[in-house]
Amino acid sequence: MAPQPAEIDQARQLLHASCDGIAAATVGLSESQLNFKPAPDSWSIAEILEHVAMVHAVVLGPVRQNLAAAPPHPADRDYRRADAIIINGLPDRTGRFNGPEALHPAGRSTPAASLESVRGSTAALIQYLESTPDLRRHAIESLPMKAISRGEYDTMDGYQWILAAAGHAARHTLQIEEVKANPNYPK
């Protein structure tokens, strides 16, 4: 089953909004602002940017490859409910969970390069969205979906992975704003 035109428009808008949001939240920040950590075990804005760029790369790479060979969704799956959980639940920062260690930032990228990567991968995700008619056909396991749905769902199809990339970037834009709101954040 292919995403409907309204679904494609929705995902495109969410991708643009999340990319624009992360860019706006980081424009004009100094080196000290980009590298400020509110606590020793928290991430700096530079690290958040690197993480978002890595997650986009995973969706465009291994996730996309694994989807092509994955089995179809169960016929009775309520994909609209799953979409809504992703759209509403992923950006919500009231529930916290740690991603895989492999997607934790490690200083491999500068903030400028990470932001440029997010911009480029957003464009690539939009191209993937617009050029792949069978995005809903296959589904693979998704730890983020399992976490935000509290185990109700444990897989996502290609369209839902695109929604998740947008929601993930929106979630971390909120995290950037939390860092900036810290009373010790450099002026």
Side-chain angles (χ1 to χ4, degrees):
M1 177 167 88
Q4 299 302 306
E7 293 172 321
I8 291 171
D9 287 343
Q10 178 182 38
R12 187 184 307 110
Q13 290 171 7
L14 291 169
L15 285 165
H16 280 299
S18 66
C19 184
D20 293 347
I22 212 160
T26 59
V27 69
L29 298 183
S30 69
E31 196 72 25
S32 63
Q33 290 170 323
L34 286 164
N35 292 306
F36 170 77
K37 289 186 174 198
D41 62 338
S42 63
W43 289 352
S44 68
I45 293 170
E47 290 170 322
I48 295 166
L49 284 169
E50 181 181 355
H51 170 71
V52 172
M54 289 190 308
V55 168
H56 275 205
V58 166
V59 172
L60 284 165
V63 166
R64 190 164 78 174
Q65 291 169 354
N66 290 337
L67 279 165
H73 268 303
D76 63 345
R77 180 181 167 99
D78 185 352
Y79 71 90
R80 290 185 196 276
R81 175 157 166 63
D83 292 355
I85 289 170
I86 294 164
I87 291 167
N88 298 311
L90 227 142
D92 182 359
R93 287 197 39 84
T94 56
R96 305 286 172 105
F97 51 92
N98 289 324
E101 187 71 31
L103 295 175
H104 287 203
R108 292 175 280 233
S109 180
T110 66
S114 293
L115 183 57
E116 191 56 36
S117 176
V118 169
R119 286 183 173 129
S121 59
T122 297
L125 285 164
I126 291 169
Q127 192 277 328
Y128 176 48
L129 171 72
E130 295 173 343
S131 66
T132 310
D134 64 348
L135 285 172
R136 292 244 189 234
R137 183 168 295 158
H138 305 281
I140 60 173
E141 185 177 359
S142 167
L143 294 177
M145 178 55 128
K146 195 172 191 175
I148 62 172
S149 73
R150 295 181 173 87
E152 181 180 354
Y153 296 96
D154 62 359
T155 62
M156 290 193 307
D157 62 34
Y159 177 77
Q160 291 164 342
W161 278 99
I162 291 170
L163 292 178
H168 178 263
R171 175 185 191 86
H172 285 294
T173 300
L174 294 173
Q175 183 183 13
I176 289 168
E177 295 302 335
E178 290 169 11
V179 171
K180 290 165 63 175
N182 184 286
N184 297 321
Y185 181 71
K187 301 296 178 206

